[in-house]
Amino acid sequence: MPDHAPTLSAYLHTVDLCVLFYCRASGDLKILLNQREAEPFAGHWALPGVVVNGGVQDLSLQDAVERLRASDKVGLPLAWSEQVGTVGDAFRDPRCWSSSTYYLAIVAEEVTLAGHQQWFSLDAVAGGGVKLPFDHNAIVAAVQERLFSKSLYSSLPLMFLGNEFSAPEATTIFSLVLARPVLKTSIRQRLLKLTEAGFLRETGRKKNGDGGRPQATVESLRPGDLYFFDRSFSE
């Protein structure tokens, strides 16, 4: 009898963005979610994502990421983005076998969101307190872990603060991302290293901080570039 090739099911590959924002008003990290219009899970909150080559030719994953960033699912300027991982199996999407390459992204400036967008607590989503479709809760948890681990030895948390910030603000954001108090002296040493390496410079300006006290600020000379310290906060 002639051999018959098995009939293969459809396959989807998506890129999904975990867009994070430091909300100064509430003092916590937020993640951007979109309310889905189409099935499956229409009306549910989910990560913004697009299907690679989904009606538009993408020559690379980065093409798809930029298409997603520019779409109304995100539509925000990103201070940072990096690929975190890829997941895939026959069960995560009820439509077919699917996989997703997912990214950590950071927004530094406060922006106005569209009606189908909303900021949610990063801790609540990563911990499963806010239930998302597909395997998006697990993706968010993996991105939160990447943010934590990379912040131990790099300047990544400073991406949340924009191009001008004070030492106390830097202490606050490192403490928040690492989920523990960080010594002011440790942060000042890191800011000094960044200054010596040409990443920062003093502005000569001051801004009101906690209690209304003026705080000297520094500005980034290399926006979008990371610095890797020779010592980790875990040491």
Side-chain angles (χ1 to χ4, degrees):
M1 296 180 64
D3 292 333
H4 294 283
T7 300
L8 300 180
S9 63
Y11 169 72
L12 292 175
H13 185 77
T14 63
V15 293
D16 294 296
L17 278 180
C18 292
V19 181
L20 308 183
F21 171 68
Y22 168 46
C23 179
R24 288 167 171 80
S26 61
D28 66 345
L29 296 179
K30 304 289 188 181
I31 185 166
L32 180 69
L33 298 181
N34 272 236
Q35 196 164 32
R36 289 179 58 83
E37 293 183 352
E39 295 292 351
F41 308 113
H44 289 247
W45 292 100
L47 293 174
V50 293
V51 175
V52 178
N53 277 338
V56 176
Q57 185 180 35
D58 296 310
L59 299 180
S60 66
L61 286 176
Q62 192 55 43
D63 280 355
V65 170
E66 177 54 29
R67 180 162 61 87
L68 173 57
R69 188 211 62 77
S71 74
D72 63 1
K73 292 182 178 181
V74 179
L76 308 175
L78 301 180
W80 177 257
S81 68
E82 67 174 80
Q83 186 180 129
V84 176
T86 298
V87 292
D89 59 38
F91 312 104
R92 59 186 302 273
D93 190 319
R95 292 170 291 188
C96 60
W97 212 108
S98 75
S99 57
S100 167
T101 300
Y102 55 96
Y103 293 74
L104 159 64
I106 292 174
V107 170
E109 305 298 330
E110 190 163 3
V111 293
T112 301
L113 299 181
H116 62 280
Q117 298 174 305
Q118 189 169 313
W119 295 115
F120 285 76
S121 163
L122 174 61
D123 284 341
V125 176
V130 176
K131 300 295 184 183
L132 304 185
F134 309 107
D135 52 1
H136 285 186
N137 286 100
I139 287 175
V140 174
V143 165
Q144 186 182 46
E145 175 57 30
R146 166 65 67 86
L147 174 65
F148 170 82
S149 62
K150 200 162 188 173
S151 297
L152 289 170
Y153 59 87
S154 79
S155 61
L156 182 58
L158 299 180
M159 295 292 180
F160 287 102
L161 301 180
N163 289 339
E164 184 173 344
F165 55 89
S166 66
E169 287 176 317
T171 302
T172 297
I173 193 63
F174 268 96
S175 298
L176 179 61
V177 170
L178 297 177
R180 61 180 173 85
V182 174
L183 293 176
K184 296 178 182 179
T185 53
S186 297
I187 294 301
R188 292 192 181 278
Q189 289 170 359
R190 273 167 157 65
L191 296 183
L192 179 59
K193 283 185 175 292
L194 287 166
T195 301
E196 293 172 344
F199 277 69
L200 296 177
R201 71 178 173 194
E202 295 181 355
T203 65
R205 295 185 290 270
K206 293 186 177 182
K207 63 190 301 187
N208 289 334
D210 294 339
R213 291 175 295 181
Q215 299 170 347
T217 63
V218 294
E219 65 180 342
S220 175
L221 298 177
R222 296 173 58 176
D225 287 346
L226 276 190
Y227 182 85
F228 297 95
F229 300 104
D230 52 8
R231 295 194 63 181
S232 165
F233 274 115
S234 63
E235 294 176 352

